[in-house]
Amino acid sequence: MFSLKEISAVTLTLFAIIDILGSIPIIIQIRQREGGINAEVATLVAGMLMVAFLFLGQSILSLFGVDFQSFALAGAIIIFLIGMEMILGVELFKHNPLTGTGSIVPLAFPLIVGAGTMTTLLSLRAAYQLPNVLAGIIVNLIFVYLVLKSSAWIERKLGKAGEDILRRVFGVILLAIAIKLFKSNF
């Protein structure tokens, strides 16, 4: 049932997609604009969105007549493009992090749980057992919470160069994951 290998793979995949460390500049900007971030609310809402999409995503796909393998291939392409974004430092997916206010919008959605996370969840559900995907979500939510709680400290310690290095490393990991998903669902 529970597999440490699968939980690790799911955790690392979601960690790279959510890219909470790469989002620190946006988190800091939200904190400054709002006067603070409610890490508990943002984490709870993000968790509910991920779990809801994990369970209802298949029904939504069925409604449109799309099978898991097709969605997984589409997810692999999106993950690949997100990885390219991270490595090349270009913006392929346009988003405005300043729309909405508070810890829910834009922090929980779409910053933490955006289209990439949702697509990845369905791709992961096609590739791994459900309990391992849920465990990976929980591990990521714990990490998201810790980052949100300590974003000011992280900002001081990481610096711009550290953030750029992390973004590129996780970009390469995403490319490898996308290729793996493509190969396993083709």
Side-chain angles (χ1 to χ4, degrees):
M1 184 129 198
F2 283 104
S3 163
L4 189 57
K5 183 178 178 181
E6 283 193 9
I7 292 170
S8 298
V10 169
T11 299
L12 290 174
T13 301
L14 286 175
F15 181 76
I17 286 291
I18 293 170
D19 188 27
I20 196 69
L21 294 177
S23 300
I24 287 176
I26 299 167
I27 293 167
I28 292 166
Q29 187 176 17
I30 293 169
R31 187 184 73 236
Q32 291 169 348
R33 186 184 73 221
E34 299 292 323
I37 290 176
N38 189 332
E40 294 83 7
V41 169
T43 305
L44 183 63
V45 169
M48 291 185 325
L49 286 171
M50 284 192 270
V51 171
F53 197 78
L54 183 67
F55 286 103
L56 298 176
Q58 184 175 0
S59 299
I60 294 168
L61 290 179
S62 296
L63 185 67
F64 292 105
V66 177
D67 61 76
F68 255 150
Q69 287 74 23
S70 299
F71 198 82
L73 286 174
I77 292 168
I78 290 172
I79 294 169
F80 184 85
L81 292 173
I82 291 171
M84 292 300 290
E85 250 187 358
M86 293 168 73
I87 292 170
L88 299 175
V90 297
E91 185 177 355
L92 299 173
F93 298 99
K94 304 291 184 205
H95 62 284
N96 184 357
L98 300 177
T99 58
T101 59
S103 297
I104 296 173
V105 177
L107 191 53
F109 179 82
L111 190 63
I112 297 169
V113 182
T117 303
M118 291 182 201
T119 304
T120 301
L121 284 170
L122 288 183
S123 299
L124 291 170
R125 184 158 186 204
Y128 301 106
Q129 292 185 21
L130 186 59
N132 297 322
V133 177
L134 288 169
I137 289 172
I138 291 168
V139 171
N140 270 281
L141 289 173
I142 291 168
F143 191 74
V144 164
Y145 174 78
L146 292 173
V147 169
L148 292 176
K149 273 303 226 193
S150 59
S151 60
W153 179 82
I154 292 171
E155 176 190 17
R156 289 190 304 270
K157 296 296 179 191
L158 198 56
K160 180 67 176 151
E163 178 190 331
D164 287 343
I165 290 168
L166 280 178
R167 181 176 295 274
R168 284 180 173 74
V169 166
F170 282 106
V172 171
I173 292 170
L174 283 181
L175 290 177
I177 291 166
I179 291 169
K180 179 185 176 208
L181 284 171
F182 186 80
K183 285 175 25 181
S184 65
N185 288 292
F186 187 63

